[in-house]
Amino acid sequence: MKKLIYLDNAATTKTSPEVVSAMLPYFTEHYGNPSSVYGFAAANKEVITKQREIIAGVLGAKSNEIYFTAGGTESDNWALTATAEAYAAKGKHIITSKIEHHAILHTCEYLEKRGYEVTYLDVDENGLVDPKAVEAAIRPDTILISVMFANNEIGTIEPIAEIGRIAHEHGVLFHTDAVQAFAHVPINVDECNIDMLSASGHKLNGPKGIGFLYIRKGVKIRSFIHGGAQERKRRAGTENVPGIVGLGKAVELAAASMQERMDYEIELRDYLIDRIEKEIPYCRLNGDRKKRLPNNVNFSFRFIEGESLLIMLDMKGICASSGSACTSGSLDPSHVLLAIGLPHEIAHGSLRMTLDEETTREDVDYVVDNLKEIVAQLRSMSPLYEDFVKKQA
Amino acid sequence: MKKLIYLDNAATTKTSPEVVSAMLPYFTEHYGNPSSVYGFAAANKEVITKQREIIAGVLGAKSNEIYFTAGGTESDNWALTATAEAYAAKGKHIITSKIEHHAILHTCEYLEKRGYEVTYLDVDENGLVDPKAVEAAIRPDTILISVMFANNEIGTIEPIAEIGRIAHEHGVLFHTDAVQAFAHVPINVDECNIDMLSASGHKLNGPKGIGFLYIRKGVKIRSFIHGGAQERKRRAGTENVPGIVGLGKAVELAAASMQERMDYEIELRDYLIDRIEKEIPYCRLNGDRKKRLPNNVNFSFRFIEGESLLIMLDMKGICASSGSACTSGSLDPSHVLLAIGLPHEIAHGSLRMTLDEETTREDVDYVVDNLKEIVAQLRSMSPLYEDFVKKQA
Amino acid sequence: MYTEKVMDHFQNPRNVGEIENASGVGTVGNAKCGDIMRIYLDIDENQIIRDVKFKTFGCGAAVATSSMATELVKGKNIQEAMQVTNKAVMEALDGLPPVKVHCSLLAEEAIHAALWDYAEKNGIKIEGLEKPKSDIHEGEEEEEEEY
Amino acid sequence: MYTEKVMDHFQNPRNVGEIENASGVGTVGNAKCGDIMRIYLDIDENQIIRDVKFKTFGCGAAVATSSMATELVKGKNIQEAMQVTNKAVMEALDGLPPVKVHCSLLAEEAIHAALWDYAEKNGIKIEGLEKPKSDIHEGEEEEEEEY
Ligand SMILES: Cc1ncc(COP(=O)(O)O)c(C=O)c1O
Ligand SMILES: Cc1ncc(COP(=O)(O)O)c(C=O)c1O
């Protein structure tokens, strides 16, 4: 096979073989519908409960506070729209940040069209939300604060414990999109006063198409998807048993090796950052240097555009992603990069590399060596670089 | 292993081994996110397109009219709520039937609380919706007709072509919940004037947690789950690639053998019905005898209650289901059985057996032999039977 | 879903049947809700329950609670039988799923109804016994979800 | 996502570079939208495009369309060069994804801008040539979804 260095673990991860093995029996052997009476299928209900317990254990939650969904996007949609409905009598104001995932931002836009008001908080140049700004934005009609645990593009970890404390003090519900953070860094819902938390299986070496929403007992939101009585009547639809089993297994594995993995990834991450900063001119590290996901590296390279960069890297067997507009078919580059203050043309030239525990130091060296050349090559054909050089002279 | 005769294929089916084989490479090998630029992942986009083509081909639709979801329930929720929103300016009236799945009925109730008006059409004693009643219910502000293709409990196949024609003539959108019918009986969306159609993978030997909504080109509904630009911006969330591949494979297999399977199941179904009617007194076949899903058998046995019956059958290794309230934890028996006019106590004593191509004549014989005994035994301890016998005497 | 004890009493129900010329018969529940229990009591002159039989139309839990309730009152005097509450029946069965708690209430009520019938027939009053409700289900349902 | 031709012109772009004292230079697009193309033309006294070079900041399609556009105008006279439309560029590349069609428009516009510069410098008028728009993107975007 062609050389392949996969550095896009924030986009999705490989489902680990142990997870697949755990799932397999639930396709062709224990395939029963957990709602059924007969023992053959009813046993699957217990299997699901077991996964709930595993996940709850990792979060410091109770198992009946975990509700399975089809992924992070559904969890985010559910948390926002159902809270908005359930608490409309109290108010119609929601606070979030400018760097949330589209699953949050587009749901907020949807709610805005339906009479809700949303405050989008600014972030600083490292992508940090200021807890004081959160506090200042709270109004008597504020019903929900939703700030992501860690950003998917620049890896910045937000001050969730402080924001949670503020939300709690003001009696406002607090949701966090932890799709990038859950099972990657420690999270305790009580310590952080988190009322709702979204997560997605395929971001933690679990399967795609499964995720969960943690809903603290007492939070009054109802279902988003209506139908059968599954998930304590809050999320209808025949349970995706193999998916749930896979998610539980992935969480179990991730939790068991979390500290070790973090240490390994942080060292490799910082090595990659250092080499790029030293060896490639006109670049900028995006995101906070310390308050950062262990596996996230994000750079902007001036004078070049991200999609070209990705294709050139791909030709060398390196999989990465970019905040360039061109990768999404829209014209504006990533809202996250704009929110941390990058000018458009610099935002266009950004590169995200997200490692995993299988990434080696050799991989990193190979990547930097190639990246140097590619950046130089793209600059040599860039009119922006031409102008810059002429101006310098 | 203990003897196991699985007669609950309407609840869920075994994922066929070929389907699992087709899915496997997409967990650990081709695990890339289809939205990514690099070739490793972008190839998954084509794989998804291919599944869309397979499904569209079976329905006589175009491939870009197929939108993947997390299952039948989500498809139903989407079709109803998004149509309601998109066409609210035209009107707020929806027509459906009293025997729809809860995924439809509970979504209708949700809409009713939000100012929509829903007409729930009666059905006859066989569970058939009268197309004339549909026509009579249409008003100038009617925006949607949603009638299921085939009922999940009693197996009745509705006159969808006629209802579609009427909807079309009156310029009203027509949605059908085909979760039980798709890939089991032939469906052509053009012949039936279907504008939207819901289906679910695990009802056709595909995986759980995946389904689709067919949306005819030109229908103006927007997304139900907001976020990324997946599914042509209409259904956000990282694509469940293995699930989609599994669904496509299952549909391909089901379509290839549909006629053969139907013939086989119908013969076995009718044999089962005949034996029960001949050998067990005080029973009633529920659902239309001819306009009926090939694999559905549903009987009510007077004087006994369904859950006890299921447990006794389970003890003999037979998996089936019931319209008894006790299986769902509510007090009322199945709304479908009540809608076809069964008194409560008879509805409670109902039994659904749904075959598949692996069911044999020997299985059926074994089931009937045991069923006879079990019904007799439960009647012997039933106060209702005691009263009945005393009254006869 | 059910404990082993429940399954045992469902598969091998004790005291199924009728008693001719019973001292008291009580029938509770209704077919609408899917549970009907009928208890026959044979009570001797010392107010001892010499024999008890039941017939039940209902789910697994309904059968098991009937069976257990008859076991618990058999050989007891009527005062002792009055102490056989739904909690006692549930405990003796090692518990019931929340949605099935009403079955144990029904069993308690069926015993009471049979005792009431006995008391009426004999013109006596049993301490603490009230006229049985016609429909045990009203308002008795437990909501599993309490958010 | 891209055809083989596009990938070839991206990986091996033809005519990258600058021309000193070019007869005409055109730069279109803007960094905000992520695409800038600059075309240098060397035009002889018979109005034949003797040489052409480009520099491009942009995605794979932007580079490939620039490369292909330079190939298509090289050696042509200016009237022929005016016939090199975005459609011609796209066809020569065996097509572009819908979201990338604007790149081909940009390439057409870059040629026109360089021709305009040449015309201005030489005080001539080129049949059918309009002053280049400053921002090619406005209103040019194709909506893939048309429901
Ligand atoms: C921060 C964040 N939230 C939400 C999502 C959506 O998750 P999914 O695509 O699994 O629905 C993602 C990933 O795409 C994410 O990174
Ligand atoms: C007719 C019908 N509609 C919808 C559904 C819901 O499908 P799912 O459970 O896959 O979401 C089912 C099955 O449960 C069904 O039988």
Side-chain angles (χ1 to χ4, degrees), chain A residues 48-86:
Chain A
I48 293 177
T49 302
K50 184 141 172 271
Q51 313 311 311
R52 244 190 268 283
E53 281 162 8
I54 291 170
I55 294 168
V58 172
L59 284 173
K62 292 178 219 67
S63 70
N64 59 11
E65 296 175 323
I66 306 297
Y67 298 85
F68 294 108
T69 66
T73 300
E74 184 193 324
S75 298
D76 284 344
N77 274 254
W78 183 10
L80 265 55
T81 58
T83 306
E85 291 206 347

Side-chain angles (χ1 to χ4, degrees), chain D residues 22-26 111-123 129 132:
Chain D
S23 324
V25 183
I111 301 285
H112 288 189
L115 287 172
W116 180 267
D117 182 45
Y118 161 75
E120 289 238 305
K121 277 182 185 154
N122 293 281
L129 184 63

Side-chain angles (χ1 to χ4, degrees), chain A residues 10-11 70-76 100-104 148 150-153 177-180 198-203 209-210 352, chain B residues 33 230 235-239:
Chain A
T73 300
E74 184 193 324
S75 298
D76 284 344
E100 299 296 313
H101 190 268
H102 283 138
I104 294 288
M148 69 202 317
N151 183 269
N152 47 307
E153 294 190 32
D177 174 345
V179 167
Q180 292 291 339
S198 305
S200 191
H202 70 102
K203 306 285 188 183
I210 189 78
R352 179 185 72 182
Chain B
N33 188 321
Q230 293 91 352
R235 203 285 192 174
T238 302
E239 295 91 340

Side-chain angles (χ1 to χ4, degrees), chain D residues 129-147:
Chain D
L129 184 63
E130 282 166 36
K131 190 169 161 39
K133 282 179 252 169
S134 60
D135 188 348
I136 192 69
H137 283 105
E138 305 298 336
E140 304 278 9
E141 234 12 58
E142 304 243 322
E143 243 303 301
E144 199 199 348
E145 188 57 82
E146 74 289 34
Y147 52 85

Side-chain angles (χ1 to χ4, degrees), chain A residues 303-305 307-308 311-312 315 326 329 331-333 344-345 348 380-384 386-387 390, chain D residues 1-2 7 10-11 16 18 31-34 36 38 40 55-60 63 99-100 137:
Chain A
F303 317 122
I304 65 176
E305 192 275 336
E307 195 207 78
S308 317
I311 302 179
M312 303 272 262
M315 278 150 41
C326 266
L331 288 180
D332 279 329
H344 274 71
E345 76 269 21
H348 278 296
S380 78
M381 56 191 282
S382 166
L384 295 175
E386 179 186 320
D387 294 347
K390 284 184 181 154
Chain D
M1 149 160 130
Y2 291 132
M7 284 306 288
F10 173 69
Q11 291 178 238
V16 177
E18 299 166 45
K32 186 160 183 285
C33 297
I36 297 178
R38 178 172 300 162
Y40 295 85
K55 286 215 170 172
T56 288
F57 163 88
C59 62
V63 172
V99 293
K100 299 295 189 180
H137 283 105

Side-chain angles (χ1 to χ4, degrees), chain A residues 237-238, chain B residues 71-73 76 101 103 148 152 177 179-180 200 202-203:
Chain A
T238 303
Chain B
T73 300
D76 283 346
H101 189 269
M148 67 202 317
N152 47 308
D177 174 347
V179 168
Q180 291 290 338
S200 191
H202 71 102
K203 306 286 189 185

